[in-house]
Amino acid sequence: IIGWRTKSSIKIDYLRQVDHPSELIIGQRVSRIGTKSFDIDATIFNDNAPCCTSTVTTVCYDFINNKSVDIFQEIIDDYNYDT
């Protein structure tokens, strides 16, 4: 089974407190593609202001052989879609 190992690294910055209940908008994008891993940046907005940001590093992984593998072509294609 080949897939990706999520949460190889997570960095979260809490910028400001949010009251409950609140309406939130979440934006995400792939911000970096390496040879075997990629980063996903996310920002949570409340009242049009960011309240939390995060970066998750995800590694492409072969779970049968227990090793990382080259980045999947589908991820590269999605990353380059708008360029």
Side-chain angles (χ1 to χ4, degrees):
I1 298 172
I2 297 178
W4 54 72
R5 175 179 282 177
T6 57
K7 300 181 278 192
S8 295
S9 171
I10 297 177
K11 179 182 182 284
I12 301 172
D13 291 318
Y14 298 99
L15 307 175
R16 64 184 186 92
Q17 188 170 337
V18 175
D19 295 324
H20 179 74
S22 291
E23 254 186 59
L24 304 174
I25 297 173
I26 302 170
Q28 291 184 315
R29 70 182 181 106
V30 174
S31 60
R32 181 194 65 83
I33 291 187
T35 57
K36 297 184 180 209
S37 66
F38 60 98
D39 290 348
I40 300 170
D41 287 345
T43 302
I44 300 175
F45 296 89
N46 178 244
D47 295 329
N48 294 321
C51 53
C52 180
T53 62
S54 68
T55 301
V56 176
T57 299
T58 304
V59 176
C60 295
Y61 201 76
D62 179 342
F63 289 94
I64 294 173
N65 294 306
N66 284 331
K67 65 178 188 173
S68 59
V69 295
D70 288 342
I71 196 92
F72 307 132
Q73 188 61 47
E74 293 86 358
I75 296 169
I76 295 169
D77 293 345
D78 285 347
Y79 182 74
N80 293 322
Y81 180 74
D82 287 334
T83 59

